[in-house]
Amino acid sequence: MAENVLVVNAGSSSVKFQLFGIEAHDRLDLRVKGQVEGIGAHPRLLAKDRQGNLLIDHAWPAADVPSVAAALEAAIPFLREQVGGKLPVAVGHRVVHGGPDYREPTLITDAVLSRLELLAPLAPLHQPNNLAPIRTIRHRHPDIPQIACFDTAFHRSHPEVADRFAIPEELHSEGVRRYGFHGISYEYIAGRLPELAPEIAAKRVVVAHLGSGASMCALLSGRSVESTMGFTALDGLPMGTRPGQLDPGVVLYLLTEKGMSASSVQSLLYNDCGLKGLSGISSDVRDLLASPHPRAKFALEYFTYRISLFTGMLAAAMGGIDGIVFTAGIGENAPAVREGVLARLSWLGAEVDLMANAKGGPRISQPRSRLKCYVIPTDEELMIARHTVQALA
């Protein structure tokens, strides 16, 4: 039996995982894809093989799987069964924030783990959950190498002018700067462009990673030169429950005039804003598309407006734009959102092919369109697996 590598992508209420076999010449073969969802509420383990056949569908009482660490513990027996009890040669993890120091996939040590824990206040919804499975595996199997792959790393190619805030130098030296996120996804898309969109692969491309968390990235010849997210994953586009770009004076107002505590403001900005706050209905675009309520319609209009607005900003960073790529859950699966964005980008020469858009692409612009428009599914877990194998080598 071939060696295996496990990829873990842990969120606040779910742990996604993929198990890859390492074949000849380090080719990766997907064997199992699954997740433990509903952690602490309705925990459920679902997994399929590479053909999409269901391997397991098992639920637990909420008290049995109360945390991300417990979810991984619950999934381990199933994963070991899939590979005949053989342990993976390594585990790769998505870690949202790498701070100013981590620019590439990194072997986890006690010192590295301690430094990553210090970044938790910059990504409170993500960082603690990203690190919880690392601790669990280090406790159970300390000899298995674990590799951290950072959402911020791909953006370290930015010019300094793109990553600075207009603040005193001492704050910048402490790490208060723009970082950018979703870098693992953008790196994967950059690698797929030569195959799926060769006409724009070496040119000026905006990639829109649209999901519950959303951001956009300017790719110049496959390298990130600008991003909509900044110091934290609150900035930029409106998201499912996060506001995106916000005047910092709003935070001051909430603290001083509304008498809110810092923790209350944090909870508001991470959990009650964005599409959820605008619509008063749901953070899920599928619910908003299906709703006849005017606030649902407005939330979607606001979402597409801000995407088009940031497209112009990113185009300015590159001195122009040749193509746009939609990816992630909304970007890949919501034709109405893509159509709404591209209608606002007609001034850039975007002419959508409605039939191709309805089918999901990959190319969704008409042949005469000056702006070449694509839908390319992302695969962060495969990117993490590749980095993990390379790090071992």
Side-chain angles (χ1 to χ4, degrees):
M1 181 178 290
E3 302 284 3
N4 300 286
V5 61
L6 175 65
V7 171
V8 178
N9 186 345
S12 58
S13 62
S14 68
V15 175
K16 299 177 183 178
F17 57 82
Q18 291 190 27
L19 190 66
F20 294 86
I22 306 174
E23 307 296 339
H25 308 295
D26 288 342
R27 185 178 67 85
L28 291 165
D29 179 30
L30 177 64
R31 294 186 173 173
V32 179
K33 179 178 182 177
Q35 65 176 337
V36 180
E37 60 185 19
I39 296 170
H42 305 286
R44 183 183 181 192
L45 170 61
L46 287 165
K48 298 179 179 180
D49 63 17
R50 62 186 168 196
Q51 285 83 31
N53 300 311
L54 186 66
L55 296 173
I56 189 171
D57 182 351
H58 182 78
W60 294 272
D64 288 0
V65 186
S67 65
V68 168
L72 184 61
E73 291 274 9
I76 284 174
F78 162 74
L79 288 168
R80 294 194 69 169
E81 181 182 308
Q82 299 307 302
V83 291
K86 191 173 184 179
L87 292 172
V89 294
V91 182
H93 298 266
R94 177 196 178 205
V95 177
V96 164
H97 218 305
D101 299 324
Y102 296 106
R103 296 170 172 262
E104 57 189 17
T106 300
L107 178 68
I108 292 291
T109 64
D110 289 338
V112 169
L113 191 55
S114 295
R115 293 186 70 130
L116 296 179
E117 288 170 342
L118 296 176
L119 297 170
L122 307 188
L125 285 189
H126 302 90
Q127 199 85 347
N129 295 310
N130 298 158
L131 301 182
I134 295 175
R135 292 193 199 92
T136 297
I137 294 171
R138 281 178 70 79
H139 176 71
R140 288 184 57 138
H141 302 288
D143 294 332
I144 296 180
Q146 297 190 79
I147 307 299
C149 299
F150 303 102
D151 259 343
T152 50
F154 186 63
H155 301 297
R156 296 285 62 76
S157 56
H158 288 184
E160 183 181 9
V161 70
D163 282 351
R164 291 289 294 254
F165 290 121
I167 57 176
E169 175 65 28
E170 56 266 27
L171 287 172
H172 175 77
S173 299
E174 291 173 11
V176 181
R177 51 174 293 172
R178 300 183 71 246
Y179 289 100
F181 298 89
H182 295 128
I184 298 169
S185 174
Y186 294 128
E187 184 180 9
Y188 178 82
I189 297 299
R192 294 286 281 160
L193 286 176
E195 177 186 354
L196 297 178
E199 61 185 340
I200 59 172
K203 296 183 179 180
R204 301 164 298 187
V205 179
V206 167
V207 183
H209 177 106
L210 307 178
S212 178
S215 70
M216 299 170 70
C217 174
L219 290 181
L220 185 59
S221 300
R223 297 174 71 248
S224 174
V225 295
E226 183 59 275
S227 173
T228 58
M229 278 186 171
F231 183 53
T232 70
L234 282 171
D235 199 9
L237 295 178
M239 294 165 252
T241 61
R242 287 170 267 171
Q245 187 181 52
L246 189 71
D247 183 337
V250 174
V251 177
L252 297 177
Y253 173 80
L254 295 175
L255 292 169
T256 60
E257 301 302 316
K258 300 295 287 185
M260 295 177 66
S261 66
S263 61
S264 295
V265 172
Q266 177 174 288
S267 179
L268 171 72
L269 297 180
Y270 276 100
N271 299 303
D272 296 316
C273 293
L275 298 178
K276 178 183 177 182
L278 283 170
S279 70
I281 296 170
S282 175
S283 64
D284 193 316
V285 163
R286 292 168 295 188
D287 295 336
L288 301 181
L289 288 169
S291 173
H293 199 288
R295 288 184 64 183
K297 182 179 179 181
F298 177 75
L300 291 170
E301 182 182 3
Y302 184 87
F303 189 49
T304 58
Y305 170 70
R306 300 300 292 187
I307 295 168
S308 66
L309 204 64
F310 276 110
T311 301
M313 181 196 82
L314 296 174
M318 298 183 290
I321 182 173
D322 301 294
I324 184 169
V325 175
F326 296 91
T327 194
I330 300 169
E332 296 169 25
N333 299 300
V337 171
R338 296 193 298 262
E339 184 180 344
V341 171
L342 295 178
R344 293 180 178 277
L345 297 181
S346 59
W347 66 280
L348 285 174
E351 296 183 67
V352 65
D353 182 326
L354 295 178
M355 186 174 296
N357 185 45
K359 292 180 179 178
R363 178 163 172 166
I364 60 172
S365 54
Q366 297 183 22
R368 65 175 181 270
S369 178
R370 293 200 314 275
L371 185 66
K372 312 305 180 185
C373 311
Y374 285 84
V375 179
I376 300 179
T378 192
D379 195 336
E380 293 167 297
E381 285 77 18
L382 178 58
M383 197 76 244
I384 293 169
R386 288 173 177 168
H387 281 313
T388 301
V389 172
Q390 291 166 0
L392 287 178

